[in-house]
Amino acid sequence: MTASLDHVSARTRRPVGPRPLYAGARTRTGSRPLAIGAATGPLTTRTPVIHIATPQLQLSTKPSAVVLRIARLQGPIFRDAAATQSGLSISTVNRQVSALLKAGIVRERADLAPAGAIGRPRLPFEVNTTDFLTVGIHIGLKVTSITTHDLQHRVVGAIQIPTPAGDSAEQTLTAIGLSARRFASRWPSQRVLWTGVAIGGRVAEGGLVDHPRLGWTAAPVGPVLSQTIGLPVSVASHVEAMAAAELLVNPEDGPGSFLYFYAREMVGIAFTVDGTVYTPTAGPPVIGHFPIGATQLLDPKRTGQLEPAVSDTGIVDAARAAGLSVEQIEDVHTAAAAGDDTASAILLERAEVLGRTVSLIADIFNPDHVILGGQAFTDTPSTLPAVARSVRSTPAAANRDVRVSRAGASVQQQAAGAVSLDAVYSDPLAALALTA
């Protein structure tokens, strides 16, 4: 269930299907992705075979995707029930289930067949969570998380590493790719299908990323990671990926519009409309420079801007300026929990500033729902009522539905997982055909 604040309590549809976009790369069409034990060996000297896909970040309407989604959310399920739930004809469901069974994406549960049932349509089917994995990578300013996910979008394994400080983006990305490859090799018996990358900044065609805070311009995130890991790669803006992860958890919330607001070391927003994350051509909206007005404890450098004031680094700067001996954001949380009034006041002011910003943006977009994600919200639940009061501080927002992300503290992992599964969830048969 979605946590609520005090009661505290987008996207344009794009064509479905992965597209090879990196100039000079050869699209993987005839070879299966490395069954990852093989991917842990030395890189070959031949021309790398890579594939970079543009994630769709939507609830796909392709029949195979619809049937897979029904199996993921309600399986084990019988074919007639799947037809009723999906609105597809029974013949369409039969065709799709047969194709998905052949591909191995779903499996039948003969042990759950009703007594006396005859024929395969009376065998319930479910997602195959045993034989396939994907790799999710969330590249943060300071920390990079690497996860493996089954076809239910569940985290199977996870590690965190400091984001490598290379002399170039390529060096940093190669180091991340090697770590991901080694980590995925822990599951040698499973077929690893895809890598999904969630990252801040602007993601352009071909998995190229502009990330000002990392100092990257047109960094070849997709090409380098695809070559290093040996898998197809999808790359998405991390806030858009987080919004997509929310859709995966509860697709029944797809109808209507959602504003997703993220805050941790960076701040950002995404907007979903009718089950599709809206992705502007110019990239996700940039809000880190938004003015915040006068502050008491926040923003000791007087930047007047949102991100420097409310980011984790900004909170540590504010705490030090106020005389606290802290090294990282966790130290501020610890001090507040121990009763330090200054630390508590800093976190409360952060909540109020974030709430006012959410309220301003929500008044512009006027969404049906607002979802708050990131550790700026989830790590300080005691300040959520202050966020809610600030969000509802204008008459237009008096009854606005404001929620905390279902992903909680694992939001970065869930976002990367959503991107890693995007191709499979958008068009499962095409995705497996590409990697067969």
Side-chain angles (χ1 to χ4, degrees), residues 213 261-269 286-293 295 298-299 302-315 349-358 360-361 376-377:
R213 293 195 66 183
F261 190 106
Y262 172 81
R264 189 186 189 186
E265 190 59 52
M266 301 178 70
V267 293
I269 62 171
V286 177
I287 65 170
H289 64 290
F290 272 28
I292 58 172
T295 57
L298 294 188
D299 196 25
R302 295 297 178 254
T303 67
Q305 297 183 355
L306 178 65
E307 192 166 275
V310 303
S311 66
D312 285 358
T313 297
I315 297 303
E349 188 174 15
R350 179 199 219 183
E352 292 170 344
V353 169
L354 285 171
R356 289 197 299 269
T357 306
V358 173
L360 172 65
I361 296 173
F377 300 110

Side-chain angles (χ1 to χ4, degrees), residues 105-121:
I105 303 176
V106 302
R107 60 192 176 193
E108 291 179 320
R109 293 289 304 275
D111 58 310
L112 298 179
I118 300 175
R120 300 191 70 179

Side-chain angles (χ1 to χ4, degrees), residues 127-146:
V127 171
N128 181 354
T129 58
T130 303
D131 297 332
F132 301 99
L133 291 176
T134 61
V135 177
I137 302 174
H138 179 273
I139 301 176
L141 187 63
K142 296 182 177 180
V143 175
T144 292
S145 66
I146 302 171

Side-chain angles (χ1 to χ4, degrees), residues 2 114 120 122 141 253 276 378 392:
T2 301
R120 300 191 70 179
R122 297 310 304 160
L141 187 63
D253 285 347
T276 298
T378 60
R392 300 191 178 99

